[in-house]
Amino acid sequence: MISIVIPVHNRLEYTRQCLACLSAQTYRNFQVIVVDDGSTDGTDIMIGQEFPEVVVLKGDGNLWWTEATNWGIRYAQKTQDKRQENFILTLNDDTRVAPDYLQTMLDAYRKYKPCLIGSVSVDSDNPEKLEYAGASFELYTAGGRHLCEDYNNSYRELAAKTSYVESHSLPGRGTLIPMEVFDKIGLYDSKKYIHYMSDIEFSVRARKAGYRLIVNVPSVVYEYVKATGIQVERKITLKEFIDSFTSIKSPTNLRIRYNFAIDHSKTKALYFCFDVGRICTGFLLRKVKLMKPL
């Protein structure tokens, strides 16, 4: 049994499209758990009318991604048949997947277990463009990079060279997790990581516990890139960049980055300083590049 947990908030059309993709899956032993965290756009009504088989858990708007996902996991823990092999699949609503998506994830798990299986992410508007294919980092000076750079950010090139990528972390945007992992290391940490980085932090804990983190190349998530929160890698103003240090919707929230440094780095506060320096340097370099005459 795969329990697919999808946190949502006021994105009815994205949610509808995501659920339609899941309804078309060739692998059928799954349930979908939507955690509707205070939507006011009629998301719950739409689901009840168009996808009555979907479980809807209602939040008050204060759960954010992390605790909303935990709600779905707890529901699955209570309802799954313990006599069978059980999984959680974390998924975002601003994604779509092919009909064989769940089957490719399970096939990969059986091949590489014990592991967590992550998905390749591509731009839904430009499926040739890789958005994610694994990450490499070290825990001393905050060095790291996205592995899609090894394949010139091209899904075609990635698929031609390998069937999987071993990663140092996995995002929540399409990750298959054996239920036993939660029994071993706990749920996502909603106290320290309210919205961003809880998925990364969880996968780092799982890796430390002995689970491989595999990005399965045939398992593709088509991501609506423009629907994602604040992304400092993209063109933003100086004010937006500064605001990202305190925004819950930002992966560069300083409190979140500090918590990760203390919890997992080898050099603690020094790692945090390197991390912030890397983020600021990257922003400045992008600004200089944009200012150069064509």
Side-chain angles (χ1 to χ4, degrees):
M1 166 64 76
I2 301 175
S3 294
I4 305 171
V5 178
I6 309 174
V8 305
H9 177 74
N10 281 344
R11 300 204 293 189
L12 186 150
E13 290 303 327
Y14 284 121
T15 302
R16 172 184 280 137
Q17 182 170 251
C18 181
L19 295 179
C21 292
L22 295 175
S23 295
Q25 291 298 299
T26 56
Y27 183 82
R28 301 308 304 171
N29 189 19
F30 69 91
Q31 66 173 342
V32 179
I33 305 167
V34 169
V35 184
D36 182 6
D37 189 23
S39 292
T40 57
D41 62 353
T43 292
D44 58 335
I45 297 173
M46 179 275 294
I47 295 174
Q49 292 175 345
E50 300 180 24
F51 306 96
E53 72 283 0
V54 171
V55 176
V56 179
L57 307 180
K58 296 281 290 181
D60 62 1
N62 294 305
L63 297 178
W64 297 93
W65 189 91
T66 307
E67 190 56 23
T69 300
N70 283 343
W71 272 33
I73 295 168
R74 293 188 191 103
Y75 178 88
Q77 287 175 324
K78 293 177 181 178
T79 59
Q80 285 179 340
D81 185 346
K82 303 300 189 295
R83 296 169 297 179
Q84 63 183 353
E85 194 172 25
N86 295 310
F87 299 86
I88 292 291
L89 173 68
T90 58
L91 192 64
N92 291 351
D93 62 344
D94 56 346
T95 59
R96 58 184 178 88
V97 295
D100 65 345
Y101 175 70
L102 293 183
Q103 188 63 62
T104 64
M105 296 287 273
L106 277 175
D107 290 345
Y109 172 77
R110 290 172 180 136
K111 185 175 182 179
Y112 302 114
K113 65 179 181 181
C115 63
L116 281 64
I117 299 294
S119 306
V120 169
S121 178
V122 300
D123 187 340
S124 184
D125 296 327
N126 180 15
E128 172 59 22
K129 183 177 181 295
L130 274 178
E131 290 292 329
Y132 178 81
S136 173
F137 58 81
E138 50 78 26
L139 295 173
Y140 290 93
T141 62
R145 61 193 179 86
H146 291 293
L147 298 182
C148 55
E149 298 169 1
D150 295 347
Y151 308 97
N152 297 313
N153 299 308
S154 166
Y155 179 72
R156 187 187 304 273
E157 186 171 330
L158 170 68
K161 289 184 176 180
T162 185
S163 60
Y164 79 97
V165 176
E166 193 130 9
S167 182
H168 288 171
S169 64
L170 290 174
R173 186 183 52 256
T175 295
L176 185 72
I177 307 166
M179 191 61 85
E180 67 181 55
V181 177
F182 298 102
D183 297 333
K184 189 169 184 178
I185 70 171
L187 303 184
Y188 292 90
D189 188 342
S190 60
K191 292 183 178 179
K192 293 182 180 179
Y193 307 92
I194 298 174
H195 189 59
Y196 268 104
M197 282 196 75
S198 60
D199 49 358
I200 302 301
E201 191 276 335
F202 177 86
S203 66
V204 169
R205 274 192 282 140
R207 186 166 181 257
K208 287 181 176 179
Y211 293 92
R212 299 173 71 188
L213 306 181
I214 302 294
V215 178
N216 189 45
V217 174
S219 302
V220 180
V221 164
Y222 297 85
E223 175 189 358
Y224 289 91
V225 175
K226 295 177 183 178
T228 307
I230 297 171
Q231 295 293 326
V232 296
E233 294 87 354
R234 311 196 190 285
K235 190 188 298 185
I236 61 173
T237 66
L238 177 60
K239 182 180 185 307
E240 288 173 326
F241 178 68
I242 294 173
D243 289 346
S244 75
F245 287 146
T246 56
S247 172
I248 291 178
K249 295 182 178 181
S250 171
T252 55
N253 180 293
L254 294 186
R255 180 174 293 181
I256 298 297
R257 311 296 295 198
Y258 178 78
N259 287 338
F260 184 84
I262 298 302
D263 288 344
H264 294 293
S265 76
K266 305 294 185 182
T267 53
K268 307 300 181 184
L270 185 60
Y271 174 98
F272 174 70
C273 293
F274 280 126
D275 191 28
V276 175
R278 177 185 58 80
I279 292 168
C280 293
T281 300
F283 174 77
L284 292 174
L285 289 175
R286 285 187 292 276
K287 280 294 185 183
V288 170
K289 184 178 179 180
L290 289 172
M291 291 171 62
K292 287 183 179 180
L294 297 176

